[in-house]
Amino acid sequence: MTANFLIGLREGLEATLVVVLLMAYLVKTGRRSLLPRLWAGVGIAVAVSIAFGALLTFGPQGLTFAAQEAIGGGLSIVAVALVTWMVFWMARTARSLGGELKSQVDKLADGAAWGLVVVAALAVGREGLETALFLWAAAQAAGESSQPLLGALLGLAVAAGLGYLLHRGVLKVNLSRFFTWTGVGLIVIAGGVLAYGIHDLQEAGILPGLHNLAFDVSAAIPPSSWYGTLLKGTLNLSPATTWLEAGAWLLYVIPVLYFYIRANRSAPAKSSGNAVAGNAATSKAA
Amino acid sequence: MPGTPLPKMTLPKMTSRRRKSLALVAAAAAVPLVLTGCTDNTKTPGSSASAGPIQVTSNKTECKVSIGSVPSGNLSFAVKNEGTEITEFYLLAEDGLRIVGEVENIGPGLTRNLVVTAPAGKYTTACKPGMQGDGIRAALEVTDSGNKTGVDADFQKLVDTGVQQYTAYVRDQTEQLVTGTKAFADAYAAGDATKARELYAATRMHWERIEPVAESFGDLDPKLDAREADLEPGQEWTGWHRAEKDLFPPAGYTALTATERAKIATQLVSDTEELGKRTRTVVLPADKLGNGAKELLDEVARGKVTGEEEIWSHTDLWDFQANVDGARIAFENLKPALAQKDPALATSLDEKFAALQAELKKYAKGDGFAYYNELGPAEVQQLAALVDALGEPLSKLTSAVVL
């Protein structure tokens, strides 16, 4: 029961965090009207995952292991690209909030807001298929015992609850801090997703180096413990990390954080006139 | 900024045309991805000897696999977790490293299925209760069902899969070679001749298994594998055989100084690392596999049968075995495709590989082999005859698969 609960919690957190931060952002910038789009993305991902999971479990055909990993890994890496772009988009719009550039921002925002659907779908979908396969297996066992399914669903519910609390919490944070911290949070999470995606591709044999470990702390942080689960669910930390994963994480997080903080730091000091120039520069950089 | 009222922004609605094209793009990207990755959930007809999935039960201390040997084709595992921790199940290749298939997140009380297409060969199964460590391992033998895996499968797909598997094999061997070479070079540079001698032949096997790929980098091969007898005038002698002569010195040989040894060792490691770097991006079309297999066998006929390759260490049989391994893996990766085009050739190659391997096995000693200078002329002749017998059908492999 506990173990199944932890699986649900972990997979749930992995899917929830990005969505929650994007949600909080939309609310903070007064774009509540865009929330349905976010939910649409989440809904699509959930529906597609469940349908595919059912098809692959009960249908005549299953997915090869390599394809499963390639899909998961590939989606993760695409998700990272989109989240990164969202973060910089958020930094940019945050800057022009006080300015008089609404029409320009609106124009940008329309494209980006549709990006929201895709980001939300990817954030949920990349773990969705694996979770759906697990849930169907749990549902199949329901004849013998409903405990696994109950545990997993409870885990998902707790993840959603934690997401809700986080959402309430970040709404209380003051605005400029909020933008910095959601951005940093998203970048660190995205770094974890990237590393995890790389690991998937290593397992599928598409990338090398699966057995070259940078560190292995699984004795100190057992992956089946509750804290191992939380670390994996929130930061995607894998206790046994390969060099390629660690390298990808560092190569992503350090430069992106640097550019992000630089872009943010210059923001409040600038007048609206400067913001136009800054805006143009950032859009090129992004 | 705190307290600033936020301006409300309204966004223009997206046109339905754009919405449609977005959906189309997404669908177009998803469909081929899903289709190419599909495999039959049902077992291939004909391999019904072991009807139903292979039952695996995992708990904290055990990983019970219901059967030790299965016919090749689509293997279906039903993995039941009877423990209290989350478990994982892996089907690994014989080396215990390459993942053939896995299923993660098997919660307590759950049964999850894994379907993999597996050609005949030796495999390792592993359960990982608690998701850490190497897992509880056991051997699984997949026998040849005579059933061509997916008879109706697209021929090109079979070739592509074979090429992919071989590329992964080359990468894996290179990685092991780099690791092994470092250990060897450390021991050698430190003057630990006993340990270096011990590591010498076994480490070189990784090199010998992928020799045709390694040799395709014309600048690295002579630096790593040149023999003294083959040196061009003025060429600096580095690499494995330089160390070999120093470790297995002939009479009247002056040993290298510690500085010279360190230099050879450093060069050996850096050249091998360079090889590893280049191998990572190497593209191997199907003809390279077929021709590579033949080249490996030619290597055997040219250097190993004659005992020239390891003239000081006499560990030619290690190289011999590794060359045969490399050729056999290339052949086996192409076998599903070959079986469609020319089943008779596939059978003949299977038999000849088996005959040569059986003969080689006679000389196995512990983890290694007998020294080559311990073999009598009749024994060498017998090995040579089997190499020739294999070389003849093997030379037809490339054209059978590629043309």
Side-chain angles (χ1 to χ4, degrees), chain A residues 240-265:
Chain A
T241 292
T242 65
W243 279 110
L244 200 62
E245 278 177 73
W249 193 89
L250 290 174
L251 280 179
Y252 172 82
V253 170
I254 292 172
V256 174
L257 265 187
Y258 170 77
F259 284 118
Y260 177 74
I261 288 170
R262 202 179 63 166
N264 253 13
R265 188 170 284 167

Side-chain angles (χ1 to χ4, degrees), chain B residues 324 327-328 331 348-358 390 394:
Chain B
V324 174
R328 188 178 46 82
F331 156 63
S348 154
L349 280 169
D350 258 336
E351 286 166 4
K352 306 253 155 71
F353 266 115
L356 177 57
Q357 188 56 58
L390 173 59
L394 197 57

Side-chain angles (χ1 to χ4, degrees), chain A residues 3-4 7 10-11 28 31 34 56 59-62 64-65 69 97 106 110 114 133-134 138 203 208-209 211 218, chain B residues 6-7 9-12 14 37-41 86 97 99-102 104-105 107-108 110 112 131-132 175:
Chain A
N4 292 313
I7 293 181
R10 190 189 72 211
E11 303 288 324
K28 277 271 190 188
R31 292 207 182 88
L34 291 179
L56 294 174
Q61 294 219 304
T64 61
F65 148 75
E69 298 292 301
L97 273 178
D106 283 353
D110 182 52
W114 281 103
L133 286 172
F134 172 81
E203 291 197 318
H211 302 284
S218 30
Chain B
L6 297 175
M9 295 175 192
T10 51
L11 299 172
M14 193 189 216
C38 276
T39 178
D40 287 334
N41 262 352
I86 304 165
L97 294 176
I99 301 175
V100 181
E102 73 167 339
E104 296 172 319
N105 276 347
L110 291 191
R112 294 194 57 186
M131 299 181 286
Q132 51 174 319
E175 278 172 24

